[in-house]
Amino acid sequence: MKKRWINYIIAFFIIITLNFVIPRLLPGDPLSAIYGDEVLLNLSDEATDYINKLYGLDKPVIARYFIYVFSIFRGNFGYSIYHKKPVLEILISHLPYTLILTGLSMLLASISGAILGIESGWRRGKKIDRFILSSIIFISGFPAFFTGAIFLIIFGIILGILPFQGAVEAYSGFSGFNLAVDFLKHLVLPLFSLVIVYIPTAYLLTRNSMISSLKEPYILFARAKGLTDTRIRYRHAGRNSLIPLTTQMGIHLATGLITGALFIEIVYSYPGMGTLIYNSILNRDYPVLQGSLFMVTLLVLIVNFFMDIFYVKLDPRIEYAY
Amino acid sequence: MLEVKNLNVSFNGKKILKSLNFKLKAGDITAVVGESGTGKTTLAMSIMGLISEQFSNAKVSGNIFFNGIDICTADRNQLQQLRWKRISMVFQNVDNILNPTLSINSQISEIMPGKNNDLKIKNTLARVGFPPERAVAYPHQLSMGEKQKVLLAMAYILEPELVILDEPTSSLDHHTRNNLIDIIKKMSSGRAVLILTHDLDTVRKLTKKTIMLYGGSIIEAGDTEAIFSNPRHPYTRGLLRSFPSTDRTKDLQGIRGKPEFVEEGCPFHPRCTQSINICRIQKPPLDEYEDRMLSCHRGGIIPLLEVKDVSKSYNGLDVLKSVSLNIYEGETVTLLGRSGSGKTTLAKIIMGLLKADSGEIYLDTRQVNKWDFNFYSRVQMIFQEVASAISHRLNVFEAVTEPLVIQKITERKILEEEAKKVLSEVQLPADHDFLRLYPHHLSGGELQRIVIARALILSPGLLIADEPTSSLDASIQAKILKLLNNIQEERGLGMLFITHDLGVARKVSDKILKLDNGIITEERIK
Ligand code: SF4
């Protein structure tokens, strides 16, 4: 357990450092983003220096790094030049949307993927298994934004049954219950697009480990004990097949969040972290970009931590591995 | 209670169990003995009705009647009713036989109907000697012995009528094993119990009846006591011989060859030292044979030599008073006695060098009337005095092939081939230089090996060895005895070993006969 803590702390620092480095590798500099290239070209050297000093861009990189690290610990993520607001405030206004969207979709995808995987693995080689397997492999071939776009076109535009813009209806004046319903309605399309994106991983992992679980001696033993099929399938084979899923989901979350949520949010103009990151890249809004990347990675770290705990619950042997 | 009738199981067309027939009675503990791969576990799976459910490539025919219900044709519902409630099983204690992610307690309670079974679980665990408070543990926290106890408790907790135990004692240390044997005995009373094992110690201590399985067929079955004290099938004897045990003194011997899959004929024929033509073609039926069931075309291990009531006196002094003995194929019988006790006289009578006053001698169940060429090609003798056994004028090649030459086989190529074969069998070099050596070039141990090679060259069935090692150093003696043991394992040779040395006798013998005052008494090998 102690070792695990140390691992998390090391990971945390690596994340902070990468967060500092990566945005600076992007082409262009923030000033040209704020003022536009033409203005900058016409600016006098003194004026440029002044502006650089104003935003702390004149200090050496190392100094800027330490300033960055310390301010993070103080909860100060800086000030967005572009938004003219503290970064923290911007993050807090975007984070909940992403949390709800990805959290809920991961949960739904994991549960439904696992159930599908268990049922499919149990019937390995039968018609149903082959049908589920090939459909899911088909789906997994689509990139996230494509799935999102298809959903948007079919349900939002052609059928017109669901909203596909933003998180709530703008200027509707909804409140209380109505606001909640409106919010949920807006959630449906991005949520299910994301669920579709996540399901194949959960399904394939579970199905695979289900197939190998079923070969284990304790399954034969469970049969001999005269247990019912459902009990063998879920309690004995299924439960153990979730172990790889829990470890893998933590890892997949990282890629899932970035590729999935980011693209889906953009497609649906959903005001979460994805949209925020996208906009700050376009605007070279470093502080916001750094802050949001930091938030996202922190999120991944936290989720992994909980997965670890859940994993030990599922597999009592793990405690001893540490 | 349980009746297995003509049970056949095959996987992908490969026959694993071949027309098994046997019955179990309530109250009996029966062992099914066989090496791994002989189909023991398949048999257990068949009785649990798990074969077709677990393996899609399996084919089962025949019947398994359990109190009137045919397990082979029962539907899932019926099987569900039988499993664990009436037939349970102690699975082989392999990795992951218990679900690694569920606690012991929850794995036991899920087989119990209804709720509130805590007391019963506690009691049963206590009965098998597993501390009930440890039931909260997970399988990986238990030792092998503890896991075995949990498996036992699970099998007995619903008090089923039939319990199958698959290798319940293997992979356990001696102490734990004995402890477990006691527990099994205690828990099993009143039930029918089938123990599948290759551990003969467990079989002897625990079971009343034994079924010997080889290559998916029953080859011998009967009372455990009878089978262990007097195995009739060559395989049974081989297995007993290869099993280390505290009350055996003979050096471990194996069974020649490796188990192989046999489609036709007797499953044991490639390894059997007494197989005949029909063994390859036809599978021997399992027939009643005195006190047991036996499957062998030759009625089990064949008698090679029978000496019946032989008497001999010199000058009114009775040297042999109506002595009798039997030697079976692949068996070593030792004649133990002081010098002058008549050992050599008996050997000479068997060899036809002396005439008995009365009595009969049978070879291969036919009475011997004249000691001719046929007799000597079946029976060969190694004499006490090595030096005098080989003429000093013959070189190695001539000495070894002499018996063939006497039989008028003179073609050089054949002689050379045969000489090389037997010389390598006695672990001597067979090159030209060695073949040209004369006795005075050789050591005592080498000479003795040459004498043995010479005796083997006619492929005899029986070897009479009169103090073959008395003139050798202890270390060479040990090597020669080991050599004889190996030759016996390979050829199924019967041996009459004559010695005055009890220590040597114990090392080599299946049976020790003491000759004293002209009378033979059998010494129990203990
Ligand atoms: S004698 Fe024939 S039938 Fe008997 S065990 Fe040997 S091979 Fe089998």
Side-chain angles (χ1 to χ4, degrees):
Chain A
M1 198 62 205
K2 208 167 152 196
K3 204 172 146 202
R4 235 185 306 172
W5 275 109
I6 295 173
N7 282 343
Y8 275 107
I9 290 170
I10 294 173
F12 180 72
F13 273 99
I14 293 176
I15 287 167
I16 289 184
T17 312
L18 285 179
N19 253 326
F20 178 78
V21 174
I22 291 174
R24 278 163 182 78
L25 298 178
L26 294 176
D29 66 82
L31 291 187
S32 47
I34 297 170
Y35 299 105
D37 284 339
E38 269 123 89
V39 180
L40 273 186
L41 279 177
N42 295 326
L43 223 58
S44 70
D45 283 355
E46 290 95 64
T48 317
D49 282 349
Y50 172 76
I51 294 168
N52 274 337
K53 202 169 248 161
L54 184 66
Y55 293 118
L57 293 171
D58 60 331
K59 298 203 180 82
V61 178
I62 296 291
R64 288 196 322 224
Y65 173 71
F66 279 108
I67 292 170
Y68 170 71
V69 172
F70 283 121
S71 45
I72 276 184
F73 280 107
R74 268 186 273 116
N76 177 7
F77 288 85
Y79 188 84
S80 167
I81 306 162
Y82 183 81
H83 291 266
K84 308 256 183 329
K85 266 191 211 165
V87 172
L88 193 63
E89 204 175 290
I90 303 168
L91 291 180
I92 284 173
S93 68
H94 284 81
L95 195 60
Y97 293 105
T98 299
L99 280 183
I100 289 175
L101 184 59
T102 49
L104 217 53
S105 60
M106 290 290 281
L107 195 71
L108 285 180
S110 299
I111 292 172
S112 47
I115 292 176
L116 279 175
I118 287 172
E119 294 293 337
S120 184
W122 178 261
R123 296 178 175 77
R124 184 193 184 180
K126 302 241 169 74
K127 261 206 190 102
I128 307 179
D129 171 46
R130 277 191 308 219
F131 174 72
I132 301 179
L133 182 64
S134 44
S135 347
I136 287 204
I137 286 180
F138 179 69
I139 289 174
S140 73
F142 299 152
F145 67 86
F146 183 72
T147 316
I150 297 271
F151 269 42
L152 186 145
I153 293 168
I154 296 178
F155 296 101
I157 298 176
I158 300 180
L159 297 176
I161 44 173
L162 284 166
F164 53 88
Q165 277 272 332
V168 285
E169 206 61 57
Y171 315 115
S172 62
F174 284 144
S175 66
F177 178 73
N178 286 338
L179 182 68
V181 171
D182 186 48
F183 175 75
L184 287 179
K185 268 189 182 168
H186 279 81
L187 190 61
V188 172
L189 279 182
L191 181 68
F192 279 95
S193 313
L194 258 188
V195 168
I196 294 288
V197 172
Y198 293 148
I199 273 186
T201 320
Y203 164 80
L204 290 173
L205 278 170
T206 315
R207 181 179 177 274
N208 268 345
S209 52
M210 184 74 181
I211 285 168
S212 53
S213 293
L214 283 174
K215 290 186 192 129
E216 293 283 357
Y218 55 80
I219 297 299
L220 180 66
F221 191 13
R223 285 226 167 89
K225 278 165 148 184
L227 302 182
T228 58
D229 268 4
T230 327
R231 203 175 173 90
I232 299 172
R233 196 180 324 164
Y234 281 93
R235 193 172 148 90
H236 285 274
R239 191 188 147 103
N240 292 350
S241 307
L242 293 184
I243 295 170
L245 179 67
T246 49
T247 47
Q248 292 291 311
M249 264 334 221
I251 298 161
H252 280 277
L253 184 77
T255 46
L257 261 179
I258 310 289
T259 60
L262 199 139
F263 285 118
I264 295 288
E265 280 183 13
I266 296 165
V267 168
Y268 289 100
S269 322
Y270 206 72
M273 299 297 291
T275 308
L276 184 63
I277 290 173
Y278 175 71
N279 286 332
S280 24
I281 291 176
L282 286 186
N283 304 320
R284 293 199 191 92
D285 192 351
Y286 285 169
V288 172
L289 189 57
Q290 273 174 337
S292 12
L293 286 180
F294 176 77
M295 273 296 162
V296 169
T297 36
L298 194 66
L299 215 68
V300 172
L301 214 59
I302 291 170
V303 171
N304 268 297
F305 180 72
F306 282 113
M307 285 291 185
D308 260 359
I309 291 172
F310 183 49
Y311 183 40
V312 176
K313 275 244 165 338
L314 264 183
D315 189 349
R317 287 167 299 183
I318 297 310
E319 247 179 296
Y320 282 69
Y322 282 99
Chain B
M1 219 219 48
L2 185 85
E3 186 178 5
V4 173
K5 261 190 169 169
N6 207 16
L7 178 68
N8 287 286
V9 179
S10 57
F11 290 97
N12 293 328
K14 189 171 164 181
K15 284 187 193 147
I16 301 298
L17 293 179
K18 300 173 194 165
S19 30
L20 294 198
N21 285 291
F22 67 90
K23 283 182 195 173
L24 296 183
K25 276 202 316 239
D28 272 3
I29 304 186
T30 304
V32 172
V33 179
E35 290 159 288
S36 37
T38 40
K40 282 175 296 175
T41 302
T42 307
L43 175 62
M45 294 293 128
S46 313
I47 298 175
M48 295 298 296
L50 282 167
I51 291 281
S52 30
E53 202 170 311
Q54 191 71 6
F55 309 98
S56 53
N57 54 357
K59 244 189 81 192
V60 183
S61 72
N63 316 89
I64 301 173
F65 291 108
F66 175 77
N67 289 329
I69 306 163
D70 185 357
I71 293 171
C72 291
T73 57
D75 60 30
R76 293 194 70 166
N77 239 334
Q78 282 173 300
L79 287 175
Q80 209 100 324
Q81 288 313 306
L82 287 183
R83 281 184 197 152
W84 230 257
K85 298 167 197 78
R86 302 184 67 187
I87 308 176
S88 74
M89 177 164 172
V90 175
F91 276 82
Q92 212 169 345
N93 193 353
V94 292
D95 249 10
N96 275 357
I97 187 63
L98 291 168
N99 191 328
T101 61
L102 297 174
S103 73
I104 299 303
N105 197 38
S106 64
Q107 295 194 53
I108 299 180
S109 60
E110 70 179 352
I111 40 183
M112 321 260 309
K115 299 238 150 50
N116 298 329
N117 297 309
D118 290 0
L119 192 67
K120 190 157 187 198
I121 295 176
K122 250 187 208 150
N123 287 340
T124 314
L125 284 174
R127 276 186 76 193
V128 299
F130 183 90
E133 65 278 7
R134 292 209 61 195
V136 290
Y138 288 93
H140 68 274
Q141 295 163 320
L142 306 184
S143 71
M144 275 308 244
E146 286 175 318
K147 265 194 247 179
Q148 194 66 55
K149 284 176 183 170
V150 168
L151 290 171
L152 270 179
M154 287 168 107
Y156 285 90
I157 198 163
L158 296 184
E159 311 196 356
E161 294 145 74
L162 170 65
V163 181
I164 304 166
L165 298 105
D166 195 357
E167 300 285 7
T169 54
S170 59
S171 70
L172 297 177
D173 63 80
H174 189 71
H175 177 76
T176 321
R177 180 181 315 175
N178 284 343
N179 176 231
L180 225 70
I181 288 176
D182 289 341
I183 294 167
I184 295 172
K185 218 181 232 164
K186 197 172 68 188
M187 308 279 292
S188 299
S189 74
R191 294 174 226 291
V193 174
L194 193 65
I195 298 185
L196 317 159
T197 186
H198 64 262
D199 177 20
L200 299 178
D201 203 37
T202 302
V203 176
R204 196 184 338 217
K205 286 184 181 143
L206 206 51
T207 67
K208 213 162 124 193
K209 295 215 154 65
T210 293
I211 295 170
M212 299 291 306
L213 207 60
Y214 185 84
S217 300
I218 296 176
I219 49 148
E220 190 169 1
D223 287 346
T224 303
E225 176 51 35
I227 288 182
F228 274 66
S229 58
N230 181 24
R232 296 288 310 144
H233 195 280
Y235 172 70
T236 315
R237 184 183 62 189
L239 197 67
L240 287 171
R241 274 182 177 173
S242 60
F243 195 77
S245 119
T246 42
D247 45 355
R248 271 172 49 86
T249 53
K250 191 180 180 184
D251 266 352
L252 287 183
Q253 251 174 320
I255 303 168
R256 68 171 184 179
K258 277 199 204 84
E260 50 187 290
F261 186 71
V262 174
E263 198 62 64
E264 258 171 11
C266 171
F268 192 56
H269 85 254
R271 304 175 75 188
C272 184
T273 48
Q274 57 167 45
S275 71
I276 48 178
N277 265 340
I278 188 170
C279 302
R280 234 178 320 120
I281 304 157
Q282 205 177 45
K283 190 182 157 184
L286 187 67
D287 280 334
E288 212 155 332
Y289 198 95
E290 289 164 13
D291 58 348
R292 71 192 68 188
M293 305 293 283
L294 186 66
S295 161
C296 176
H297 285 304
R298 306 192 70 176
I301 302 160
I302 48 168
L304 278 178
L305 181 82
E306 290 168 84
V307 172
K308 270 194 189 151
D309 303 321
V310 165
S311 299
K312 176 79 185 172
S313 57
Y314 290 117
N315 312 326
L317 193 72
D318 292 336
V319 180
L320 298 172
K321 297 175 200 161
S322 181
V323 299
S324 301
L325 64 86
N326 286 328
I327 300 175
Y328 286 91
E329 197 266 354
E331 185 181 59
T332 304
V333 174
T334 295
L335 206 52
L336 187 72
R338 289 172 286 111
S339 45
S341 59
K343 297 173 292 178
T344 308
T345 308
L346 183 57
K348 284 186 172 162
I349 290 173
I350 294 169
M351 288 305 285
L353 305 174
L354 274 177
K355 215 170 153 34
D357 300 341
S358 66
E360 291 140 18
I361 289 171
Y362 294 83
L363 181 68
D364 297 329
T365 66
R366 276 186 299 275
Q367 191 172 358
V368 181
N369 296 314
K370 51 179 195 295
W371 277 262
D372 56 1
F373 165 68
N374 280 331
F375 181 88
Y376 293 116
S377 65
R378 288 289 289 152
V379 185
Q380 281 283 320
M381 184 153 174
I382 304 172
F383 291 95
Q384 194 167 357
E385 274 307 310
V386 180
S388 65
I390 298 173
S391 160
H392 63 275
R393 264 190 294 258
L394 300 179
N395 65 19
V396 169
F397 176 73
E398 288 160 341
V400 168
T401 56
E402 195 183 28
L404 288 174
V405 177
I406 295 171
Q407 314 267 331
K408 308 214 164 37
I409 297 169
T410 50
E411 202 183 318
R412 179 88 193 173
K413 234 181 88 189
I414 295 179
L415 291 182
E416 239 169 63
E417 239 167 56
E418 293 294 317
K420 281 183 182 165
K421 222 164 65 195
V422 287
L423 282 172
S424 67
E425 209 173 333
V426 298
Q427 294 159 5
L428 282 177
D431 53 68
H432 276 284
D433 293 338
F434 189 80
L435 288 175
R436 276 200 297 270
L437 295 180
Y438 282 88
H440 62 269
H441 293 130
L442 303 170
S443 70
E446 283 173 324
L447 269 180
Q448 189 56 277
R449 284 170 200 257
I450 295 214
V451 170
I452 295 171
R454 179 185 145 102
L456 291 177
I457 203 161
L458 289 176
S459 303
L462 179 69
L463 203 61
I464 300 178
D466 189 1
E467 302 274 8
T469 57
S470 58
S471 59
L472 302 174
D473 294 343
S475 68
I476 298 170
Q477 167 173 316
K479 278 188 191 146
I480 297 282
L481 293 179
K482 206 165 160 98
L483 176 71
L484 286 173
N485 240 342
N486 289 345
I487 292 171
Q488 178 170 65
E489 177 183 322
E490 201 47 48
R491 292 186 171 226
L493 205 61
M495 257 194 273
L496 181 62
F497 203 86
I498 298 172
T499 186
H500 63 272
D501 185 338
L502 183 62
V504 170
R506 287 202 162 149
K507 271 285 194 229
V508 297
S509 314
D510 295 296
K511 221 190 300 176
I512 299 180
L513 303 176
K514 220 174 185 169
L515 190 59
D516 206 8
N517 286 327
I519 293 170
I520 282 184
T521 45
E522 183 169 348
E523 175 129 328
R524 282 248 146 235
I525 303 183
K526 266 273 148 73

